[in-house]
């Protein structure tokens, strides 16, 4: 039963990750088109709403059994790194929610070019930070299982 549940979690995580990948790509495209285009900002808002629905579910699935628990089982002394990644993930979700709130509070955005430019830059920065966070998660997982301490040729 545990194996079946694990497969279901893995499948759901794959679906959410694929959706997230598409949404981040769409968001980057929309940010590129956003200058003076009210329609683009409307879609940006919808993409942010969808991300903010999908990401908590993704995190919940990742945390089933403990966040990066498999890393800590291999390397308990990496607890500080894992805790920092977990906190960073929480901060990224909070920041995205704050950006969405600012966007929604600032309608119609096309009339406020300065704020639109700031939001566009902050959303791009957020995407860069989130991608870096995901890479760090993958790297720590890979390192945990590829790190044969004491192995010699």
């Amino acid at each position: 039963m545990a194996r079946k549940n694990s497969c279901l979690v893995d499948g759901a995580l794959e679906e959410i990750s694929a959706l997230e990948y598409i949404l981040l790509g769409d968001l980057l495209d929309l940010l590129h088109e956003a200058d003076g285009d009210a329609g683009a900002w409307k879609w940006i808002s919808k993409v942010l709403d969808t991300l903010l629905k999908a990401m908590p579910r993704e995190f919940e699935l990742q945390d089933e059994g403990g966040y990066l628990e498999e890393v800590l089982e291999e390397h308990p002394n990496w607890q500080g790194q894992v805790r920092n990644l977990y906190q960073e993930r929480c901060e990224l979700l909070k920041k995205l929610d704050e950006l969405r709130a600012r966007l929604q509070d600032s309608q119609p955005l096309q009339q406020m070019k300065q704020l639109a430019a700031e939001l566009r830059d902050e959303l791009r920065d957020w995407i860069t930070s989130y991608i870096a966070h995901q890479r760090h998660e993958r790297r720590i997982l890979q390192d945990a299982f590829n790190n044969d301490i004491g192995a010699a040729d």
Side-chain angles (χ1 to χ4, degrees):
M1 181 67 177
R3 176 76 178 128
K4 183 177 181 181
N5 189 35
S6 176
C7 290
L8 291 173
V9 169
D10 290 345
L13 265 171
E14 278 184 38
E15 286 181 27
I16 292 171
S17 293
L19 173 63
E20 186 178 284
Y21 178 81
I22 292 166
L23 290 170
L24 290 174
D26 289 347
L27 185 56
L28 281 171
D29 290 343
L30 288 164
L31 289 169
H32 183 71
E33 299 170 9
D35 271 342
D37 184 355
W41 285 104
K42 177 182 161 196
W43 283 108
I44 288 169
S45 182
K46 290 188 181 304
V47 168
L48 293 179
D49 288 344
T50 306
L51 274 171
L52 285 164
K53 287 178 186 163
M55 289 174 72
R57 178 65 181 140
E58 176 186 26
F59 296 167
E60 180 183 306
L61 290 170
Q62 287 175 337
D63 293 353
E64 211 168 273
Y67 179 70
L68 295 176
E69 188 62 32
E70 58 271 49
V71 170
L72 294 175
E73 287 173 6
E74 288 290 316
H75 301 282
N77 59 325
W78 291 9
Q79 187 174 4
Q81 291 179 60
V82 170
R83 184 179 48 249
N84 290 344
L85 271 172
Y86 183 82
Q87 290 171 338
E88 181 181 69
R89 185 181 75 170
C90 294
E91 290 167 12
L92 282 163
L93 185 61
K94 181 180 173 189
K95 176 68 174 178
L96 186 61
D97 191 44
E98 290 169 0
L99 288 169
R100 180 193 58 180
R102 279 183 50 208
L103 173 61
Q104 290 176 340
D105 292 344
S106 304
Q107 299 299 335
L109 201 56
Q110 70 272 19
Q111 295 173 356
M112 298 178 262
K113 287 193 179 273
Q114 178 66 32
L115 181 59
E118 287 174 19
L119 276 171
R120 187 175 51 246
D121 291 345
E122 287 183 52
L123 282 166
R124 284 184 180 137
D125 290 346
W126 182 88
I127 291 169
T128 301
S129 295
Y130 187 66
I131 290 170
H133 172 80
Q134 289 178 315
R135 284 187 186 131
H136 195 174
E137 280 181 331
R138 281 191 301 274
R139 191 174 329 115
I140 200 170
L141 276 165
Q142 290 170 347
D143 289 351
F145 296 101
N146 292 330
N147 192 1
D148 287 335
I149 298 173
D153 290 336

